[in-house]
């Protein structure tokens, strides 16, 4: 009877993982620790330079997005008012027809009054005249109200169009400003993103998740940092013990700052330009 091969148990990726929780995975990788550290620091350098390019753009992308949203909302309001104008226009047409029918009936009833010979029929016809006259007044009132509503909607549309013109002018200016910045940095950004993708392709998924987790935990987006002043963490500036400094420079194992959880590296020992 054939024996079944034992299947390798793959530990599921935990999105909450940090560098501390993947130290074993890091050490057991087929890639040397020195190469992993070199790749991670190169990845961090690329991301930092990309961040600087994004900072050059400042709030412009968000401002453009906000203006586009405002213009879209204004257009929606204009369309709503135009739809309501169409409804009121249809209402006017319908009430004009009702008014014309009432007027026609009134003319007929009043003509019949001259030929009435008994009071009972006269009273009945007079009641019909009163009803038709009331319906005519209602129709004419609704026509007047609909015209007022149409005028109000047209005024609102004019106000919205003026506001839209201002927002479109702002949007055009912001887009032009953003386009200038993007154009001036497009080549550099493309090269950096290419470098970043090349680094990311060399890093296993668990380590990459930890990198992104730590990176997104800090305002400066630093997850892999060099020693600052040769004796402090380049991320949180806390002093690193002498023995740990030696271990950082040896590149034989992953050294994590005990205060902020960032990976500490020595660019010189990794053969990488610190800048």
């Amino acid at each position: 009877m054939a024996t079944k091969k034992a299947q390798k148990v793959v530990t599921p990726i935990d999105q909450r993982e940090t560098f501390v929780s993947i130290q074993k995975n890091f050490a057991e990788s087929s890639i040397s620790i020195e190469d992993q550290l070199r790749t991670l620091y190169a990845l961090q350098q690329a991301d930092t330079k990309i961040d600087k390019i994004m900072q050059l753009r400042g709030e412009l992308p968000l401002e453009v997005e906000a203006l586009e949203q405002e213009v879209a909302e204004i257009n929606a309001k204009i369309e709503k008012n135009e739809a309501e104008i169409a409804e009121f226009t249809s209402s006017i047409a319908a009430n004009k027809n009702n008014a014309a029918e009432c007027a026609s009936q009134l003319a007929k009833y009043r003509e019949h009054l001259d030929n009435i010979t008994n009071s009972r029929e006269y009273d009945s016809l007079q009641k019909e005249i009163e009803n038709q006259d009331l319906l005519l007044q209602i129709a004419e009132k609704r026509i007047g109200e609909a015209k007022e509503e149409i005028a109000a909607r047209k005024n609102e549309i004019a106000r919205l169009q003026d506001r839209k013109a201002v927002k479109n002018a702002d949007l055009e200016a912001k887009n032009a400003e953003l386009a200038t910045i993007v154009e001036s940095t497009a080549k550099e950004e493309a090269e950096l993103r290419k470098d970043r993708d090349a680094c990311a392709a060399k890093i296993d998924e668990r380590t990459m998740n930890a990198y992104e987790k730590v990176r997104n935990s800090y305002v400066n987006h630093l997850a892999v940092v060099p020693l600052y002043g040769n004796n402090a963490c380049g991320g949180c500036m806390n002093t690193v013990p002498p023995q740990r400094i030696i271990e950082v420079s040896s590149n034989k194992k992953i050294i994590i700052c005990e205060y902020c959880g960032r990976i500490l590296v020595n660019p010189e020992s990794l053969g990488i330009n610190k800048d």
Side-chain angles (χ1 to χ4, degrees):
M1 185 175 179
T3 58
K4 293 183 178 180
K5 291 183 178 180
Q7 292 184 342
K8 182 180 179 181
V9 178
V10 179
T11 306
I13 302 294
D14 187 344
Q15 299 300 328
R16 298 168 298 176
E17 280 183 323
T18 63
F19 291 132
V20 174
S21 65
I22 63 157
Q23 288 184 84
K24 183 179 179 182
N25 179 75
F26 198 90
E28 292 177 349
S29 173
S30 59
I31 303 172
S32 71
I33 289 179
E34 183 174 343
D35 284 342
Q36 290 182 78
L37 290 171
R38 186 180 291 109
T39 302
L40 277 169
Y41 187 59
L43 174 66
Q44 178 67 78
Q45 284 185 307
D47 276 336
T48 298
K49 290 175 182 177
I50 291 171
D51 287 343
K52 288 180 179 178
I53 291 175
M54 296 301 105
Q55 287 171 6
L56 282 176
R57 299 174 189 176
E59 298 296 321
L60 279 174
L62 293 177
E63 290 174 7
V64 167
E65 185 179 348
L67 283 168
E68 288 175 340
Q69 182 62 34
E70 283 189 71
V71 170
E73 289 173 358
I74 291 172
N75 283 332
K77 289 177 181 178
I78 290 173
E79 290 176 4
K80 182 175 181 291
N81 279 282
E82 288 175 341
E84 289 175 351
I85 286 174
E87 290 178 5
F88 286 123
T89 300
S90 296
S91 172
I92 288 173
N95 279 294
K96 281 183 176 180
N97 287 335
N98 291 339
E101 186 176 342
C102 289
S104 175
Q105 289 287 57
L106 279 170
K108 290 179 182 178
Y109 291 149
R110 284 169 179 158
E111 184 180 347
H112 289 165
L113 280 176
D114 297 334
N115 301 320
I116 298 301
T117 57
N118 61 74
S119 59
R120 183 175 179 181
E121 189 177 353
Y122 178 89
D123 290 342
S124 176
L125 194 55
Q126 191 65 41
K127 186 66 175 178
E128 289 295 332
I129 291 173
E130 290 175 1
N131 287 339
Q132 289 299 318
D133 186 53
L134 179 60
L135 290 173
L136 177 60
Q137 291 178 40
I138 291 172
E140 290 175 343
K141 181 182 178 183
R142 287 176 177 171
I143 290 170
E145 290 172 344
K147 287 180 177 180
E148 289 177 0
E149 292 291 346
I150 287 174
R153 297 300 186 281
K154 286 183 176 179
N155 287 336
E156 177 65 7
I157 288 174
R159 187 188 70 80
L160 289 168
Q161 292 286 14
D162 289 342
R163 184 181 170 195
K164 178 182 173 181
V166 172
K167 295 299 180 182
N168 273 331
D170 289 345
L171 179 58
E172 185 177 349
K174 294 291 184 184
N175 268 324
E177 186 179 353
L178 180 59
T180 299
I181 295 174
V182 169
E183 184 179 358
S184 67
T185 58
K187 183 178 179 181
E188 181 185 2
E189 183 184 352
E191 290 175 353
L192 287 170
R193 292 196 181 279
K194 183 178 179 181
D195 291 343
R196 185 195 191 281
D197 291 343
C199 290
K202 298 176 183 178
I203 300 170
D204 67 88
E205 187 177 359
R206 178 165 277 104
T207 302
M208 196 66 193
N209 278 349
Y211 169 82
E212 295 291 3
K213 172 70 168 54
V214 175
R215 175 173 150 76
N216 292 328
S217 297
Y218 296 103
V219 176
N220 60 14
H221 293 166
L222 294 178
V224 184
V225 296
L227 293 171
Y228 179 77
N230 297 321
N231 66 348
C233 170
C236 65
M237 303 304 166
N238 279 295
T239 301
V240 179
Q243 180 57 38
R244 302 282 281 175
I245 294 173
I246 295 173
E247 291 175 331
V248 169
S249 299
S250 72
N251 301 319
K252 292 182 179 179
K253 65 178 180 178
I254 179 174
I255 304 299
I256 300 166
C257 176
E258 60 186 23
Y259 298 100
C260 66
R262 296 177 171 98
I263 287 180
L264 298 172
V265 297
N266 185 328
E268 290 184 7
S269 67
L270 290 172
I272 299 176
N273 188 331
K274 192 173 180 180
D275 296 329

